[in-house]
């Protein structure tokens, strides 16, 4: 058995592929690439593929992570090339490294707790930088940002302010580019759409506009090496 | 358009339906080919991508140097609304070009209840619905598939319709199209030229006359050089027929998301209600060697983890045992499974199911179709109650604990005794389950009924459908008879079946109804959440036609049927004979055994059934 960490991007048409489908796409791509995937034991064996953190449908990912286990030890560049020759358009492997399993570490999924996003919002009319700065400052100086979330038919009020770790906004003509670091994962997760709604409430004119959301990195904040690489 | 589309996609359900970019999809340089064809599937992506015919034709056309084929599907209602609001025409997934830019737009007719979707797709493309309203600048709109054998209710909308298997005729048509364009032929001249290709039906070249009774008087060619009867096309050598070894692998889950390995074409059983059994005659088995090779190539090119052995009746395939063993030997080590889409009602099928399902899924499905031996003799379904009990007992012994039984209600000659028979069969299956020690908490028998729809080109084409009221009474009766803690009962909506019958046996006058139903807002009529029965009734009323007249019509053997000029190879004389045998409850022999029941197809089409036969327990 050999475990590998894979850094990949999911952009273009592939950003509309849902997480479960992505799992299957990788499984099939590995088979096409003739990479010997390891399977779980039991009545219903599953390939050993695990992702750091799912991407929402419609959100691109520039630097995503996953682990796969193979039954054979292969050269990392071999894995990279073979996979890239077998993936559908929009999904690309950027790098592969061998995971040293003698070093105990938490599973990839449990480690991710923050993510950087770039959100491009196209607004109808040109706006100035001051307006953007004002909204960003207003949001960052709020003590709490309560939002309503519906889970299993129940509405709950959640404060997302602690989950907004960083926020910047830059405007060129009629495009506002927002860069933000948000809490991600099982604790205090904030969706980029939720942040957008809050920005709208503090006066950013992004009502009904087209927003292109890209996750540009996922991190394990607080660990010595926050990069998952 | 690209940019507009990008903005819409985040707003719809399953945007990946509209993006393309799948593995093995082909995007050719537009200017590098002479002929551009779009394949249009009149239902959603997930349904269309499960259709083997699409993969076959897509592969064939894209193999050509001089042609390309791209795909388009019916946009779901949310997408349609946005496309209309933002002026986005129907486009293909590969190059995202408007369908209107293509030379040929080919629809597949799989099911009557997709007809309004076809009109919607034409309209979304910016094309007039009627063939006669389209001009030289517009694509040729053509169709094929099972419903092409009675295309009369939608004949006005197509320039031409192809009967039978498409592998050869598609190439002949593309060649003819290319020549015609090089020779600067007009659209009318081109259609005349295409009408001379065997299997091609150009509806506008035929005149339909009616009797006072409303039945058909005659269907005659308007020109002397157009054939009076159109014969279906079929592949003589299915084993060597081009097969898509690199099928497209959808990014999102399709209904059938696996290798579809077609083991044979046709079926010899001769069930009297079954249209596919006639349309795909004669049976032609592929050799296990070819199938092993194709399976290997497809697994390699797709990365699928399941091979489904498809055909109308896979358990009948002579070499099914060795084929399964061979496929499992070769592929199961890599985590690849084999599956069977349907089982015959016998113990042999259970052995096959055991072989392919190492892990027992809970449910096995059988289709006895009718509840009594008498009625099974009427429909020529060669299954006995003993077969069924043997099969389910073997299944229970092997670890299955849920059985699903399919029946049809409203079959010709059916009485309430036959319905009692369905209930009795379900109870006998429950009894077998308890006797075989299936735990009382897990034992489950599901009875599922559909309503019989008389279809063209079958022995029952002469028969009326049961009235809607009668079908509903029968459903309620069965419901009361099937009150048992181990049995659950479900049934299809009978008003859908009623319209299906009216359309399946309809004539050209129904074009006005289909187009009116479309105008009134009917779409996705095969989807219960979208089906609007009252709009369909209004469409019939607005046009001044009665759906009952079509669905409940009893035809005489001598009557001219709306589809009599479209020849599936089985003679009308034989269908009449089969109908008489049905009424007399007489079975018909299966030609797989070598004896010929005389359906007339082989001599008229100069072909013979191809059954490999022999001992089926050897190794591949």
């Amino acid at each position: 058995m050999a475990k590998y960490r894979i850094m990949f991007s999911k952009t273009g048409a592939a950003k509309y592929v849902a997480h479960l489908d992505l799992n299957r796409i990788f499984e099939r791509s590995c088979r096409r690439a003739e990479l010997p995937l390891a399977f779980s034991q039991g009545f219903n064996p599953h390939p050993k593929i695990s992702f750091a953190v799912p991407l929402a449908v419609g959100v691109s990912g520039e630097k995503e992570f996953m682990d796969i286990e193979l039954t054979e030890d292969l050269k990392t560049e071999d894995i990279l090339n073979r996979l890239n020759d077998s993936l559908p358009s929009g999904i690309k492997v950027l790098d592969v490294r061998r995971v040293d399993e003698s070093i105990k570490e938490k599973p990839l999924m449990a480690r991710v707790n923050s993510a950087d996003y770039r959100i491009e919002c196209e607004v109808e009319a040109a706006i100035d930088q001051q307006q953007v700065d004002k909204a960003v400052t207003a949001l960052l100086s709020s003590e709490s940002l309560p939002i309503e979330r519906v889970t299993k038919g129940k509405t709950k009020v959640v404060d997302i302010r602690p989950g907004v770790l960083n926020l910047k906004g830059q405007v060129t003509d009629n495009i506002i580019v927002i860069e933000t670091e948000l809490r991600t994962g099982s604790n205090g997760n904030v969706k980029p759409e939720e942040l957008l709604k809050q920005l709208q409430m503090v006066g950013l004119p992004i009502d009904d506009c087209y927003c292109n959301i890209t996750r540009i990195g996922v991190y394990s904040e607080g660990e010595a090496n926050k990069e998952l690489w | 358009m690209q940019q507009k589309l990008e903005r819409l996609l985040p707003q719809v359900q399953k945007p990946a339906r509209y993006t393309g970019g799948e593995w093995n999809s082909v995007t050719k340089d537009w200017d590098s080919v002479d002929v551009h064809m779009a394949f249009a599937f009149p239902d959603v992506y997930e349904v269309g991508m499960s259709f083997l015919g699409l993969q076959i034709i897509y592969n064939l056309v894209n193999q050509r140097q001089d042609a390309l084929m791209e795909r388009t599907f019916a946009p779901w209602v949310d997408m349609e609304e946005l496309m209309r609001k933002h002026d986005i025409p129907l486009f293909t997934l590969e190059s995202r070009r408007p369908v209107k830019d293509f030379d040929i737009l080919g629809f597949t007719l799989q099911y009557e209840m997709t007809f309004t979707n076809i009109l919607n797709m034409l309209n979304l493309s910016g094309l007039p619905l009627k063939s006669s309203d389209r001009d030289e600048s517009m694509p040729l709109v053509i169709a094929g598939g099972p419903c092409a054998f009675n295309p009369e209710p939608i004949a006005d909308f197509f320039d031409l319709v192809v009967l039978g298997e498409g592998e050869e005729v598609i190439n002949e048509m593309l060649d003819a199209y290319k020549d015609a364009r090089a020779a600067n032929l007009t659209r009318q001249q081109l259609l005349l030229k295409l009408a001379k290709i065997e299997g091609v039906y150009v509806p506008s070249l035929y005149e339909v006359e009616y009797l006072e009774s409303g039945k058909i008087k005659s269907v005659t060619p308007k020109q002397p050089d157009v054939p009076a009867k159109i014969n279906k096309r079929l592949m003589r050598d299915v084993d060597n027929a081009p097969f898509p070894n690199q099928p497209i692998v959808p990014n999102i889950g399709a209904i059938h998301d696996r290798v579809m390995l077609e083991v044979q074409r046709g079926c010899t059983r001769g069930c009297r209600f079954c249209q596919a059994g006639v349309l795909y005659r004669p049976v032609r088995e592929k050799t296990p060697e070819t199938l092993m090779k194709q399976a290997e190539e497809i697994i390699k090119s797709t990365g699928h983890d399941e091979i489904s052995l498809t055909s109308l009746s896979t358990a009948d395939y002579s070499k099914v045992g060795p084929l399964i063993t061979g496929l499992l030997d070769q592929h199961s080590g890599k985590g690849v499974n084999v599956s069977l889409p349907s089982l015959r009602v016998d113990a042999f099928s259970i052995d096959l199911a055991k072989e392919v399902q190492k892990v027992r899924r809970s449910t096995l499905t059988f289709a006895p179709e009718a509840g009594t031996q008498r009625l099974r003799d009427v429909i020529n379904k060669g299954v006995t109650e003993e077969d069924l009990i043997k099969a389910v007992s073997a299944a229970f012994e092997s670890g299955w604990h849920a059985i699903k039984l399919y029946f049809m209600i409203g079959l010709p000659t059916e009485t309430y005794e036959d319905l009692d028979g369905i209930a009795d069969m379900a109870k006998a299956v429950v009894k077998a389950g308890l006797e075989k020690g299936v735990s009382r908490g897990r034992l489950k028998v599901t009875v599922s009924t559909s309503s019989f729809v008389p279809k063209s080109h079958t022995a029952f084409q002469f028969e009326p459908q049961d009235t809607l009221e009668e079908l509903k009474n029968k459903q309620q009766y069965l419901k009361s008879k099937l009150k048992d803690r181990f049995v659950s009962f479900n049934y299809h909506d009978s008003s859908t079946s009623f319209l299906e019958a009216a359309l399946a046996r309809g004539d050209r006058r129904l074009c006005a109804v289909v187009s009116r139903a479309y105008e009134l807002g009917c779409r996705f009529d095969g989807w219960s959440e979208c089906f609007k029965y009252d709009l369909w009734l209004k469409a019939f009323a607005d046009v001044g036609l009665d759906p009952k007249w079509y669905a409940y019509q009893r035809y005489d053997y001598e009557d001219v049927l709306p589809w009599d000029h479209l020849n599936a190879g089985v003679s009308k004389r034989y269908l009449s004979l089969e109908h008489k045998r049905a009424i007399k409850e007489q079975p018909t022999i299966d030609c797989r055994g070598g004896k010929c029941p005389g359906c007339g197809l082989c001599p008229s089409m100069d072909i013979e059934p191809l059954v490999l036969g022999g001992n089926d327990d050897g190794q591949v």
Side-chain angles (χ1 to χ4, degrees):
Chain A
M1 295 290 166
K3 194 170 173 180
Y4 297 89
R5 180 144 308 157
I6 291 175
M7 187 200 288
F8 67 97
S9 61
K10 178 173 173 275
T11 57
K15 75 176 177 186
Y16 297 112
V17 168
H19 187 63
L20 275 178
D21 293 324
L22 183 68
N23 207 321
R24 196 172 31 201
I25 286 174
F26 267 105
E27 185 185 339
R28 285 178 183 161
S29 301
C30 284
R31 208 177 274 117
R32 292 195 288 261
E34 298 185 11
L35 296 177
L37 272 176
F39 279 78
S40 64
Q41 301 294 305
F43 282 116
N44 209 353
H46 282 287
K48 293 194 171 172
I49 298 180
S50 58
F51 290 86
V53 58
L55 261 178
V57 173
V59 177
S60 308
E62 282 180 355
K63 205 172 157 192
E64 298 289 311
F65 298 96
M66 64 185 282
D67 284 347
I68 61 168
E69 259 185 75
L70 302 181
T71 58
E72 273 171 53
D73 211 335
L74 294 174
K75 276 198 203 138
T76 53
E77 63 187 81
D78 216 23
I79 296 175
L80 180 130
N81 292 334
R82 276 155 70 176
L83 263 180
N84 276 336
D85 288 343
S86 309
L87 281 161
S89 74
I91 303 173
K92 195 167 175 248
V93 173
L94 308 172
D95 210 346
V96 178
R97 76 167 171 89
R98 181 72 202 262
V99 176
D100 185 354
E101 281 165 287
S102 64
I103 302 169
K104 275 269 170 238
E105 62 173 32
K106 280 198 279 181
L108 204 46
M109 249 185 299
R111 289 178 59 198
V112 175
N113 53 23
S114 88
D116 270 340
Y117 291 92
R118 186 182 60 244
I119 308 167
E120 293 151 5
C121 303
E122 235 184 280
V123 286
E124 299 265 322
I127 64 159
D128 58 40
Q129 182 65 36
Q130 261 186 329
Q131 226 181 319
V132 177
D133 289 343
K134 225 175 101 189
V136 168
T137 314
L139 197 138
L140 286 177
S141 58
S142 311
E143 269 180 31
S144 70
L145 295 168
I147 60 147
E148 283 189 355
R149 266 193 208 147
V150 184
T151 34
K152 289 171 193 159
K154 277 186 189 162
T155 312
K156 222 169 72 179
V157 177
V158 188
D159 179 14
I160 63 163
R161 180 61 191 88
V164 182
L165 306 173
N166 246 316
L167 179 66
K168 280 189 296 193
Q170 189 73 44
V171 69
T172 352
D173 299 329
N174 61 335
I175 296 176
I176 309 169
V177 178
I178 294 156
E179 287 189 326
T180 182
E181 186 179 0
L182 300 174
R183 253 295 150 248
T184 302
S186 49
N187 250 328
N189 185 72
V190 178
K191 293 182 193 162
E193 293 87 348
E194 292 170 338
L195 175 79
L196 287 178
K197 220 171 242 161
Q198 294 299 310
L199 280 169
Q200 211 178 302
M201 283 165 68
V202 291
L204 211 58
I206 49 172
D207 187 22
D208 276 340
C209 80
Y210 173 68
C211 296
N212 196 359
I213 309 176
T214 308
R215 186 156 77 188
I216 51 181
V218 290
Y219 310 104
S220 180
E221 206 69 68
E223 284 186 34
N225 171 19
K226 84 171 210 176
E227 301 280 336
L228 295 155
W229 197 243
Chain B
M1 188 170 96
Q2 186 78 6
Q3 225 186 0
K4 273 205 233 168
L5 194 59
E6 274 309 317
R7 283 151 187 263
L8 301 195
L9 289 175
Q11 303 173 47
V12 299
Q13 289 176 46
K14 303 193 187 178
R17 283 169 169 168
Y18 313 103
T19 57
E22 308 96 318
W23 184 252
N24 283 341
S25 60
V26 180
T27 310
K28 287 191 181 182
D29 176 17
W30 186 264
D31 298 318
S32 72
V33 300
D34 302 319
V35 190
H36 309 91
M37 182 167 176
F39 188 107
F41 194 95
D43 208 314
V44 290
Y45 176 87
E46 301 93 292
V47 177
M49 286 309 295
S50 307
F51 172 49
L52 180 59
L54 186 163
Q55 303 267 16
I56 292 177
I57 300 293
Y58 186 81
N59 166 65
L60 264 167
V61 177
N62 283 322
Q63 294 272 317
R64 289 175 67 122
Q65 293 290 316
D66 59 352
L68 64 76
M69 176 172 268
E70 303 192 351
R71 296 159 295 150
T72 186
F73 300 86
W76 186 245
V77 286
D78 59 345
M79 183 65 171
E80 185 202 332
E81 200 189 315
L82 288 173
M83 285 168 73
R84 289 191 183 280
K85 199 170 140 199
H86 297 274
D87 270 328
I88 294 187
L90 189 70
F91 58 91
T92 55
L93 300 195
E94 282 79 358
S95 65
R96 297 198 180 173
R97 270 175 194 271
V99 160
K100 208 179 172 180
D101 291 355
F102 284 75
D103 300 307
I104 305 175
L105 173 60
F107 282 92
T108 180
L109 310 176
Q110 295 293 311
Y111 180 35
E112 289 81 1
M113 303 314 278
T114 63
F115 288 173
T116 57
N117 280 7
I118 295 172
L119 299 193
N120 195 31
M121 289 170 84
L122 287 173
N123 180 270
L124 276 170
S125 304
L127 296 170
L129 302 186
K130 281 192 171 179
S131 151
S132 55
D133 295 336
R134 292 191 291 260
D135 66 34
E136 305 274 338
S137 73
M138 296 170 183
L140 207 59
V141 180
I142 72 172
C147 297
F149 280 90
N150 183 23
E152 295 303 287
I154 43 173
D156 290 353
F157 313 121
F158 290 105
D159 300 311
L160 69 86
V161 170
V162 179
L163 304 190
E165 296 162 11
E167 285 103 331
E168 289 169 341
V169 66
I170 182 88
N171 281 323
E172 293 164 25
M173 273 192 316
L174 291 174
D175 290 340
Y177 182 89
K178 234 177 91 177
D179 292 349
R181 231 183 23 192
N184 266 323
L185 295 192
T186 63
R187 200 178 180 91
Q188 198 53 35
Q189 288 168 322
L190 166 67
L191 286 175
L192 255 176
K193 187 175 159 158
L194 291 169
K196 285 170 196 154
I197 296 176
E198 181 101 0
V200 172
Y201 170 47
V202 179
S204 60
L205 295 177
Y206 296 78
E207 180 77 54
V208 183
E209 288 182 274
Y210 300 91
L211 297 165
E212 243 171 73
S213 66
K215 289 182 179 174
I216 308 274
K217 181 170 173 236
S218 63
V219 178
T220 40
K222 289 178 184 168
Q223 303 199 27
D225 49 353
V226 172
K229 219 170 192 189
I230 297 94
N231 297 323
K232 80 169 176 192
R233 293 296 294 265
L234 50 79
M235 292 297 290
R236 277 160 211 288
D237 188 355
V238 169
D239 200 42
N240 286 306
F243 198 72
N245 287 334
Q246 295 177 357
I248 301 166
V249 184
N251 281 341
I252 55 170
I255 310 286
H256 295 292
D257 205 359
R258 49 185 82 93
V259 177
M260 287 178 273
L261 191 65
E262 187 188 25
V263 298
Q264 62 185 355
R265 215 165 268 184
C267 172
T268 55
R269 301 236 147 206
C271 298
R272 289 175 180 135
F273 54 82
C274 180
Q275 191 188 39
V278 174
L279 303 187
Y280 297 101
R281 267 186 198 210
V283 76
R284 285 147 293 161
E285 295 187 340
K286 281 160 74 171
T287 60
E289 293 74 22
T290 299
L291 293 167
M292 289 294 292
K293 216 174 101 215
Q294 288 174 344
E296 191 181 351
E297 284 173 32
I298 302 172
I299 293 278
K300 215 170 163 173
S301 75
T302 61
H304 277 306
D305 62 357
E306 188 178 337
I307 308 167
S308 176
L309 304 181
T310 65
S311 77
L312 293 171
S313 175
T314 297
D316 285 344
Y317 171 57
S318 303
K319 303 286 182 188
V320 65
L323 177 66
I324 289 173
T325 315
L327 289 172
L328 287 173
D329 280 354
Q330 194 169 342
H331 301 290
S332 67
K334 291 172 278 176
V336 176
N337 295 314
V338 176
S339 69
L340 297 164
S342 62
L343 289 178
R344 224 160 59 184
V345 187
D346 59 18
F348 173 69
S349 291
I350 304 298
D351 287 341
L352 293 180
K354 263 160 69 180
E355 178 121 11
V356 299
Q357 288 184 20
K358 298 285 180 247
V359 185
R360 302 278 175 268
R361 290 183 200 146
S362 58
T363 312
L364 270 190
T365 303
F366 297 102
E369 310 287 5
T372 59
Q373 195 57 50
R374 186 202 67 79
L375 192 53
R376 285 193 296 273
D377 288 339
V378 169
I379 62 176
N380 198 37
K381 182 90 188 179
V383 168
T384 64
E385 180 150 349
E386 199 190 331
D387 294 333
L388 177 71
I389 298 308
K390 266 192 193 154
V392 297
S393 300
F396 289 134
E397 270 174 6
S398 310
W400 278 280
H401 48 80
I403 300 287
K404 193 168 181 180
L405 302 171
Y406 270 116
F407 294 96
M408 250 186 256
I409 59 166
L411 284 162
T413 78
E414 184 183 62
T415 66
Y416 278 73
E417 267 170 44
D418 299 305
L419 300 179
D420 291 338
I422 292 177
D424 293 344
M425 269 179 126
K427 279 175 198 148
V429 174
V430 168
K431 187 164 162 265
L434 293 172
E435 276 172 15
K436 294 292 170 193
V438 179
S439 86
R440 298 176 72 87
R442 296 174 85 194
L443 178 64
K444 197 179 163 196
V445 177
T446 305
V447 172
S448 184
T449 64
S450 62
S451 302
F452 166 70
V453 176
K455 296 254 164 149
S456 74
H457 301 86
T458 66
F460 290 160
Q461 64 179 355
F462 308 104
E463 284 285 330
Q465 190 178 39
D466 256 1
T467 64
L468 204 50
E469 202 187 2
E470 188 64 30
L471 288 173
K472 283 182 181 159
N473 288 342
K474 285 179 175 175
Q475 285 166 345
Q476 290 314 310
Y477 180 79
L478 261 181
K479 203 173 164 182
S480 71
K481 280 271 165 179
L482 287 168
K483 286 207 170 101
D484 183 302
R485 59 170 292 202
F486 299 110
V487 180
S488 60
F489 174 52
N490 52 56
Y491 49 89
H492 288 267
D493 172 46
S494 40
S495 49
T496 307
S497 309
F498 168 58
L499 282 175
E500 204 183 315
L503 292 171
R505 295 205 308 161
D507 55 44
R508 246 180 230 200
R509 290 169 296 190
L510 291 187
C511 290
V513 177
V514 177
S515 111
R516 182 70 188 135
Y518 164 67
E519 275 170 31
L520 291 170
C522 291
R523 311 269 191 287
F524 287 104
D525 302 300
W527 294 69
S528 55
E529 68 261 49
C530 297
F531 180 55
K532 297 184 182 95
Y533 181 56
D534 21 330
L535 288 189
W536 269 99
L537 291 186
K538 182 170 167 23
F540 270 96
D542 287 354
V543 168
L545 289 170
D546 183 2
K548 289 181 189 156
W549 188 86
Y550 287 95
Y552 304 162
Q553 183 68 252
R554 177 180 288 286
Y555 284 113
D556 290 328
Y557 300 140
E558 295 75 27
D559 284 338
V560 178
L561 306 180
W563 52 88
D564 271 354
H565 56 301
L566 305 175
N567 179 25
V570 174
S571 71
K572 192 174 176 188
R573 210 195 105 258
Y574 179 77
L575 293 178
S576 318
L577 184 71
E578 272 292 280
H579 182 257
K580 285 178 205 156
R581 282 199 199 117
I583 303 305
K584 284 190 253 166
E585 300 162 17
Q586 287 170 352
T588 295
I589 47 164
D590 182 332
C591 74
R592 183 170 282 274
K595 282 188 189 149
C596 173
C599 78
L601 181 134
C602 293
S604 75
M605 304 218 142
D606 190 25
I607 191 169
E608 275 180 25
L610 202 160
V611 180
L612 299 170
N615 162 0
D616 67 6
D617 53 17
Q619 288 296 311
V620 179

